[in-house]
Amino acid sequence: MTGEADHTMAAERPSGGLFKGRAVDCDVHVSVPSVKALLPYLDSYWRQQFLTRGIDRISWNMTSDPPNAPIMIRPDRRPAHGRPGSDFSILKDRHLDVFGPGAAIANCIYGGVALHSEDMAAVVCTAVNDWIAAEWLDRDPRLRASIVVPLNNPDLAAEEIERRAGDPRFVQVLMLAMGEQPLGKRAHWPIYAAANRHGLPIGVHAGSLYHHPALAGGYGSYFLEDYVAQAFGFENCVLSLVSEGVFAKFPELTFVFMESGVTWLPAALWRFDKTWRGVRAEIPWVKTPPSQIVRDHIRLTLQPFDAPDGAGRLERFCEQMKSDEMVLFSTDFPHWHFDGEEALPIGADTALARKILWDNPLATYPRLKALSPEVAA
Amino acid sequence: MSKSRFVVARTSDVAPGTSRRVSAGGRDIALFNVGGDFFALGDRCPHESGSLCAGKIVGFAEADEPGKYRIVRDGEFVRCPWHGWEFDIRTGKSWCDPEKSRVRAYQTGVASGSDLEEGPYVAETFKVSIEENYVVVEI
Ligand code: FES
């Protein structure tokens, strides 16, 4: 258990910043600056392959994450060199020290997970996780991370989860909203079984392997379409996870949807519940209205939060979902969704804010429970 | 309010596993024969008023886990012909929303023609003959 004592006590160390340790930032981004940075984490076979094949000169950017799109990098988070989210001191000085979360979960969105070579994808994921542990987690006790896994090979993904599960700083498994097959399909279940064994939620981040268009009818032309369509991709995830029976098979499993807003969900569920009543017998393992299953098993990170202007927007969402336990605080560092410290659309001293900032993340991530002095006692 | 008993059908009019629309006291009623037992529901789906006696009589599909399908209580549910909501023929309750969506279920009984002669029963639509058995609905 790497550095457990160090990393579970963050809430007790004197911590300043906006939230004084009583918050969990459930989505911050760290990015691999270049394939070269991974070479030290490869064995000699793969290092030679990368060098002889020139793979070290490739950039594995996700199409869904273009580094120069304004939304992807807030100007005051842009490093002098390299990719957004690749500079530790910017994350620490301009973000963690300013907001003062007790923990922040680092998600590395990396094209390497999408490689068609299953072995190479698996090796890259292992290297990325080692790199995250060494270059980020070891440098700040507030940091936690999601386990990056090769999405094209669920068995190898499950092996990577097993390899990483002993390090309590890895608190969830990272998948993308749009892969080769819808997320509920049984092909993915080895990943869910492994996550379930270790009490790890599945974090689903906006993003696609682009084996299929992000728009259901075909490829669009613009970044705008792609970015907005991520929310539709998440609607599909909800449909697939519930209908295929993932929560009937793994009743303890939680999914966290990251970086696509929250307000699209109630309308999708009204339609889902209503239609389910007429065709329920197709999926008899779904025994309660889908909205109830979603309320019990799916969580969403806050930023980017979109809703009509005016007060009461987040409250309205909770009312429509009949739950104040579904939203988890996130800043989506270094992306540009808000200025200054305006990460919360409600007052930080409200009861709802306390749930979003603290109670809900702790209830969602079993591995964060040790953060809370009350729970630990 | 005291209930009246209406003679609504000959038992031989509704074969096991089928239903038939009858009326009694000005109400439309869906009469079901489930393995020789008669059940009467209001013939109006609480969703948008589909006629339940036009619906398919089915069993209840169950599964303990994904992919493990089975039918239980075969013949004891009716699917509304319009949007497929399922109702328990024995209770009138909608399976998906038993508290809020249910159809009225009426008490039924079977009586012989000679019982009926002694009354008090209301036979609105046909003559009762001593030789036959009848379905009686309480409204
Ligand atoms: S009218 Fe019966 S299901 Fe809609």
Side-chain angles (χ1 to χ4, degrees), chain B residues 45-52 80-85 87:
Chain B
C45 174
H47 179 218
E48 287 179 358
S49 306
S51 162
L52 294 180
C80 175
W82 282 7
H83 313 98
W85 292 15
F87 296 91

Side-chain angles (χ1 to χ4, degrees), chain A residues 41-242:
Chain A
Y41 302 96
L42 298 176
D43 69 15
S44 44
Y45 170 79
W46 285 105
R47 197 174 314 120
Q48 285 182 19
Q49 284 292 304
F50 274 42
L51 291 170
T52 51
R53 291 157 72 176
I55 295 168
D56 60 318
R57 296 196 297 271
I58 291 175
S59 140
W60 279 325
N61 277 350
M62 276 288 192
T63 307
S64 57
D65 187 21
N68 290 324
I71 204 170
M72 292 304 179
I73 177 75
R74 200 169 119 173
D76 56 342
R77 267 71 168 138
R78 188 182 286 284
H81 312 283
R83 295 174 47 77
S86 60
D87 184 326
F88 171 75
S89 63
I90 291 179
L91 174 63
K92 180 183 175 300
D93 300 343
R94 299 190 207 166
H95 188 71
L96 297 178
D97 291 352
V98 173
F99 282 93
I105 302 172
N107 291 309
C108 180
I109 304 301
Y110 193 47
V113 303
L115 296 174
H116 287 279
S117 159
E118 295 164 42
D119 290 334
M120 194 189 292
V123 157
V124 168
C125 290
T126 303
V128 169
N129 291 322
D130 284 340
W131 169 84
I132 291 173
E135 306 283 333
W136 299 86
L137 302 182
D138 286 353
R139 292 167 84 176
D140 195 304
R142 292 167 294 193
L143 284 176
R144 302 292 186 281
S146 299
I147 304 172
V148 173
V149 295
L151 296 170
N152 289 336
N153 188 316
D155 291 329
L156 292 177
E159 278 177 29
E160 183 60 20
I161 294 167
E162 294 295 341
R163 189 174 300 125
R164 222 41 75 170
D167 184 342
R169 300 172 302 174
F170 285 93
V171 299
Q172 77 183 341
V173 174
L174 185 61
M175 297 181 76
L176 295 177
M178 290 172 274
E180 176 64 36
Q181 294 196 51
L183 278 193
K185 289 280 188 180
R186 291 177 207 172
H188 296 300
W189 289 12
I191 300 179
Y192 305 154
N196 202 39
R197 265 197 298 285
H198 297 289
L200 293 160
I202 304 287
V204 183
H205 199 277
S208 173
L209 298 184
Y210 293 97
H211 293 187
H212 309 290
L215 296 172
Y219 283 96
S221 307
Y222 304 102
F223 171 72
L224 171 64
E225 295 169 274
D226 187 273
Y227 192 79
V228 176
Q230 299 293 325
F232 314 147
F234 276 106
E235 286 193 30
N236 296 342
C237 295
V238 171
L239 290 175
S240 175
L241 289 169
V242 173

Side-chain angles (χ1 to χ4, degrees), chain B residues 4-91:
Chain B
S4 306
R5 294 160 148 202
F6 290 86
V7 181
V8 293
R10 285 177 213 91
T11 53
S12 56
D13 290 340
V14 194
T18 67
S19 66
R20 179 189 166 116
R21 180 184 226 190
V22 297
S23 70
R27 295 175 209 212
D28 291 325
I29 288 177
L31 184 64
F32 297 88
N33 179 339
V34 178
D37 294 330
F38 291 91
F39 298 94
L41 303 180
D43 192 30
R44 230 177 115 84
C45 174
H47 179 218
E48 287 179 358
S49 306
S51 162
L52 294 180
C53 64
K56 284 214 163 51
I57 295 170
V58 296
F60 185 73
E62 262 189 0
D64 295 328
E65 61 175 298
K68 306 273 186 262
Y69 309 84
R70 65 170 176 271
I71 286 287
V72 296
R73 295 183 56 197
D74 202 5
E76 298 186 26
F77 287 80
V78 60
R79 280 192 86 215
C80 175
W82 282 7
H83 313 98
W85 292 15
E86 295 159 300
F87 296 91
D88 186 331
I89 293 173
R90 292 178 183 276
T91 62

